[in-house]
Amino acid sequence: MTPTYDFDGGLEWWRHAAIYQVLPSSFQDSNGDGIGDLPGILSRLDHIAALGVTAIWLSPIYPSPMRDGGYDISDFIGVDPSFGTLQDFDRLLAALHARGIKLILDFVPNHSSDRHPWFIESRASRGSQKRDWYVWADPRPDGAPPNNWLSRFGGSAWEFDAGTHQYYYHAFLKEQPDLNWRNPALREAMAEVLRFWMRRGVDGFRVDASGVLIEDALLRDDPPNPTASERTPPPERQKRVFTDSRPEAIACLAGLRAVTEDFPDRLLAGEADTTTDRAARFYGTPDRPCLQLPLNFGLLDTPWNARSVAAAMDQYLNMVPSHGWPCWALGGHDKIRVAERVGSAQARVAVMLHMTLPGTVFFYAGDEIGMHQMPVPPERIRDPFEKLVPGYGLGRDPERTPMRWCPEPKAGFTTGEPWLPIGPEVGALNVATQAEDPRSMLALYRHLIALRREQPALRGARLEPLRGEDEVVAFRRESEGGAVLVALNLGGSRQSFAFAGESRVLLSTRLDRVDERSSGRMELRPDEGVVLGLD
Ligand code: GLC
Ligand code: CA
């Protein structure tokens, strides 16, 4: 029997949403300091609305020393002056809502900046009231760190504090001390942060690093990673058994969800470990729900050929529990851009796949014009990852370069010196030029998002995989309103695809042959994907 995936879904706004991730520093600068800001985003709402997205997700806007792209926060309820003010934020939110677009914020519960007043107070003395708001431990008898835990950004995850003779734990940079989620007062303070933003009207959150909120209470050593070699970046040479996706962390997420449930229609998405069998836990259980949408980057992490992609879809859809809901992310500020990952020709196929799968989709600003990894010369590197773990290509600057709005050297992003280089070939790789071209990547994104919204079969939750030959991935989507067939050629040669019945082309990745009819067999050109309406 053919497997069919189906999910029970309610009518919540986020179920079929297309969510657009905006990195504030790289979207649009309004005051010439070279850093994107909130008034800049406000000035680009026409672009966001023309995409047809349901919501935007804003990466951190909070006051920050910017040691880790704003993920090192020194005040959870403010706006960094380089991005604007709280009033600018309110204006942006109101303008988005006026256009029917929702806004979700990044919420970073795992750590603060070492400049956060809480940490300054915590490290002041062992007796400090906020001592226990962070994770402190005694040195081993020889003065060494408490155990072998590694920071994701390289080296020991423990930093010695000479003033109080203890180590504090940091899953990321030493300037990002981990908050102690075992402490009830800390938990309540963070709940209050969520309430602060929800009262202002935000529609939900993307929970940063949600699996690492709590570490093993016994501080047991992490074991070596048996699949690691010398090509594995040193921080990945241990398995994070005692430092990631702990049951205690999942319980914290249930607590956060309970906070958002006090407000109507809020979404809790989050960064989670979706590569292992632990992934399903992030949904929680029907009685104790956690994240509505643990982000799934499976499509980007899979070798780009028909068999691997079909297997990745199958594996993921099998993993999502029946009370869960699928979601797919095809890019982000930590990930290689899809146009780089699969090449420009296949990027169109990848995007068609992404937008026709059941569930919620997340995509990253710049991907809609096919931006690739931009070269960043060593003297302009901003991301500490590359500096701390050099030589493995881990730096995330190339996917964080400024958005390109028009064919000018500064791409319409700024009048000043951009914080990261714009990169070469602004040529056609910009919004204005592509908006004029009915066959551009931008045009494809707009058509696909419209199709997702308007085609009843794509709004349903059913997916029936079909058996494709050679380089073809194919599946059927069906609901009471009708059926469509999606056939994608992941290769560079012509392919054909057989199916039962009569069809009509609703969309081709090449944005031609609309309404072409075929019966029983479909010819796919190299690097072409099609969505077919079935009679
Ligand atoms: C998440 C963010 C990443 C950041 C890290 C530490 O993984 O996506 O950009 O470096 O958390 O906050
Ligand atoms: Ca600015």
Side-chain angles (χ1 to χ4, degrees), residues 63-336:
S64 165
M66 301 286 166
R67 298 300 304 263
D68 181 26
Y71 284 89
D72 49 325
I73 298 169
S74 53
D75 175 6
F76 290 109
I77 53 169
V79 171
D80 192 86
S82 66
F83 297 142
T85 62
L86 258 182
Q87 288 66 45
D88 292 326
F89 175 79
D90 289 339
R91 267 194 287 277
L92 175 61
L93 183 57
L96 283 163
H97 283 170
R99 294 185 188 231
I101 301 167
K102 312 232 181 234
L103 181 142
I104 71 174
L105 282 179
D106 228 299
F107 175 59
V108 187
N110 178 67
H111 46 268
S112 72
S113 160
D114 62 345
R115 311 280 179 80
H116 195 295
W118 295 347
F119 187 68
I120 293 172
E121 195 181 330
S122 181
R123 86 186 302 174
S125 80
R126 287 200 189 197
S128 147
Q129 265 217 338
K130 292 209 168 57
R131 185 66 171 180
D132 189 47
W133 282 34
Y134 291 82
V135 181
W136 293 97
D138 289 330
R140 277 185 284 192
D142 63 354
N147 63 19
N148 75 348
W149 293 350
L150 294 177
S151 154
R152 272 152 205 272
F153 288 146
S156 170
W158 296 98
E159 180 71 10
F160 187 64
D161 179 60
T164 57
H165 286 275
Q166 276 190 315
Y167 282 88
Y168 66 85
Y169 176 73
H170 55 93
F172 297 94
L173 296 176
K174 67 178 172 12
E175 294 86 359
Q176 291 169 300
D178 270 48
L179 291 158
N180 179 14
W181 277 80
R182 290 199 165 84
N183 181 296
L186 177 274
R187 283 206 298 267
E188 178 50 27
M190 292 305 271
E192 213 30 53
V193 170
L194 292 177
R195 292 186 197 109
F196 172 87
W197 292 108
M198 287 191 287
R199 281 187 216 109
R200 282 199 118 76
V202 313
D203 300 288
F205 303 91
R206 171 264 189 192
V207 181
D208 184 71
S210 69
V212 302
L213 290 189
I214 291 197
E215 302 70 44
D216 181 42
L218 301 175
L219 305 185
R220 283 171 284 182
D221 279 342
D222 271 334
N225 174 358
T227 61
S229 69
E230 58 290 6
R231 295 205 310 275
T232 310
E236 304 309 321
R237 293 184 194 171
Q238 278 173 193
K239 280 185 82 157
R240 295 175 192 279
V241 173
F242 294 110
T243 45
D244 199 346
S245 309
R246 306 286 311 158
E248 308 90 299
I250 306 292
C252 292
L253 296 177
L256 294 176
R257 175 67 180 276
V259 175
T260 62
E261 289 289 320
D262 286 340
F263 291 72
D265 299 330
R266 306 304 151 117
L267 168 66
L268 207 59
E271 196 183 13
D273 180 358
T274 44
T275 55
T276 68
D277 54 357
R278 296 172 172 190
R281 296 191 203 160
F282 286 84
Y283 287 99
T285 60
D287 325 331
R288 213 155 170 251
C290 295
L291 303 178
Q292 281 121 326
L293 302 174
L295 295 185
N296 156 39
F297 288 94
L299 295 177
L300 265 185
D301 294 339
T302 301
W304 196 253
N305 61 69
R307 287 170 200 181
S308 302
V309 168
M313 286 164 51
D314 186 66
Q315 208 174 13
Y316 174 71
L317 290 169
N318 265 317
M319 179 280 295
V320 178
S322 57
H323 61 277
W325 185 253
C327 81
W328 311 84
L330 197 63
H333 67 295
D334 298 326
K335 288 282 181 182
I336 185 169

